Amino acid sequence: IVSIICVAVILFAGAMFEDYFVHKQFNDFSVALDCLYDKIETEQATERDVLAVQDNWLKKKKNLHAFIPHTEIKEVDLWLSETITLVRDKEWADAISKVEVLRELAEQIPKTFEVSFQNVL
């Protein structure tokens, strides 16, 4: 019984750490996306701004590979790559829509890994 309780505690602690870590990474990424969104909205964004957000993401995804599926990571990679091209070409309406999707992804992906009743079932 003691070993079962120990395993349960370890699993719960691991799940809580994963939840905290994934949320922290995406919260930090969301701040960068919000800044980029504001710059694109005022048509002041440059390719360098998007590359800075991409660099921020690349640093975070190194650790996220251990916690979330690669398909989720690849999706963010693709939307960021498209945003770089759109900002470079000054296609503001399309660029802002890409960043809106990125913001939604940054909000929804962590919810998939929350310690909650719906995710346990």
Side-chain angles (χ1 to χ4, degrees):
I1 291 180
V2 173
S3 61
I4 292 173
I5 292 172
C6 288
V7 169
V9 168
I10 291 170
L11 285 174
F12 182 74
M16 294 305 295
F17 173 75
E18 177 190 43
D19 181 35
Y20 168 78
F21 182 79
V22 170
H23 273 86
K24 171 104 174 79
Q25 297 303 304
F26 277 99
N27 286 341
D28 293 347
F29 182 56
S30 291
V31 170
L33 287 173
D34 290 342
C35 182
L36 178 62
Y37 183 90
D38 292 341
K39 285 188 172 191
I40 292 173
E41 194 173 45
T42 60
E43 298 181 1
Q44 296 177 345
T46 64
E47 184 178 359
R48 179 177 282 164
D49 294 325
V50 187
L51 289 172
V53 172
Q54 185 183 43
D55 185 53
N56 175 293
W57 170 248
L58 292 174
K59 290 175 185 171
K60 293 187 180 323
K61 87 174 193 175
K62 285 180 185 177
N63 295 321
L64 285 170
H65 273 291
F67 296 99
I68 65 175
H70 300 308
T71 53
E72 304 273 3
I73 292 172
K74 188 70 171 169
E75 194 169 351
V76 174
D77 288 340
L78 293 173
W79 287 99
L80 267 173
S81 296
E82 289 180 31
T83 305
I84 293 168
T85 303
L86 292 169
V87 167
R88 182 179 50 226
D89 296 343
K90 298 187 186 309
E91 296 179 26
W92 305 115
D94 291 335
I96 203 129
S97 68
K98 300 293 180 189
V99 175
E100 286 173 352
V101 171
L102 283 164
R103 289 166 77 183
E104 185 66 22
L105 287 171
E107 181 182 329
Q108 295 302 321
I109 291 172
K111 288 181 181 177
T112 308
F113 303 95
E114 286 180 346
V115 177
S116 65
F117 181 71
Q118 64 208 26
N119 289 340
V120 172
L121 295 179

